[in-house]
Amino acid sequence: AWGGVGVTNKKPQKRIIKKAPPQAPRKDAKLNHVIINTKKNRKLEQHLVKRLPYPYKTSTVFVREIRQPIGPQWNSVRAFRNMIKPEISTVDGKVIDPIAAPKGFDNVKIKRRKR
C-alpha cells in the first residue's frame, strides 16, 4: 500500500451478498434411487421431427404410426409384406415418363450451382 503524509486508512466496505431466488423442486426429489436428467441431448435432437410430414394431418396420427414396429417379429408375415411393399411397381425395362411441371412453371428461373 502507498503511504505518505495525509494518507488515511479507509474502513473496509461491507460486502453485499445477494441470495439467489429459491429453485423449483426437482422432479425426482420424492423418488428414491432415481435421477432424472434434464439436460438437452444434442445427438438425439438431430433425429427429432421439426414439422409434421406431408400425408399426416395431426401429430397424434403420425406418432401412432411411428410407434408401430414394422419388423416381422411383431407382425404377421402377410402384414409385414404389405407394410414394406412399394406403392408403385413397374415391370423391368419399362420406360417411366418424367413428371410434368405445373402450369406457369416455365416462367420461373432456376438458379443452378456452378461446378
Side-chain angles (χ1 to χ4, degrees):
W2 291 94
V5 181
V7 176
T8 59
N9 290 335
K10 292 185 179 179
K11 291 183 182 177
Q13 295 180 348
K14 276 191 170 179
R15 293 186 183 188
I16 300 172
I17 300 173
K18 291 185 180 179
K19 289 188 177 180
Q23 292 183 342
R26 290 178 54 99
K27 292 180 182 179
D28 57 2
K30 295 180 182 178
L31 303 171
N32 294 334
H33 307 297
V34 175
I35 298 173
I36 297 175
N37 187 0
T38 56
K39 295 179 183 175
K40 270 190 173 181
N41 188 344
R42 300 210 187 275
K43 289 182 182 178
L44 175 68
E45 201 172 276
Q46 296 171 356
H47 300 289
L48 295 178
V49 178
K50 304 243 185 309
R51 55 193 163 102
L52 205 57
Y54 161 68
Y56 302 103
K57 303 281 186 204
T58 62
S59 62
T60 54
V61 175
F62 174 68
V63 169
R64 184 174 54 209
E65 282 206 26
I66 290 296
R67 285 188 177 175
Q68 172 64 35
I70 297 176
Q73 296 89 355
W74 294 277
N75 298 300
S76 66
V77 175
R78 181 182 293 170
F80 171 68
R81 285 185 184 151
N82 285 337
M83 282 192 260
I84 65 167
K85 183 173 66 175
E87 290 180 18
I88 301 171
S89 62
T90 59
V91 181
D92 290 343
K94 183 179 178 186
V95 177
I96 301 172
D97 296 329
I99 299 173
K103 293 180 181 178
F105 193 74
D106 300 334
N107 301 336
V108 178
K109 294 181 180 178
I110 300 172
K111 293 182 180 178
R112 299 191 185 243
R113 287 185 3 187
K114 294 181 181 177
R115 289 187 176 186

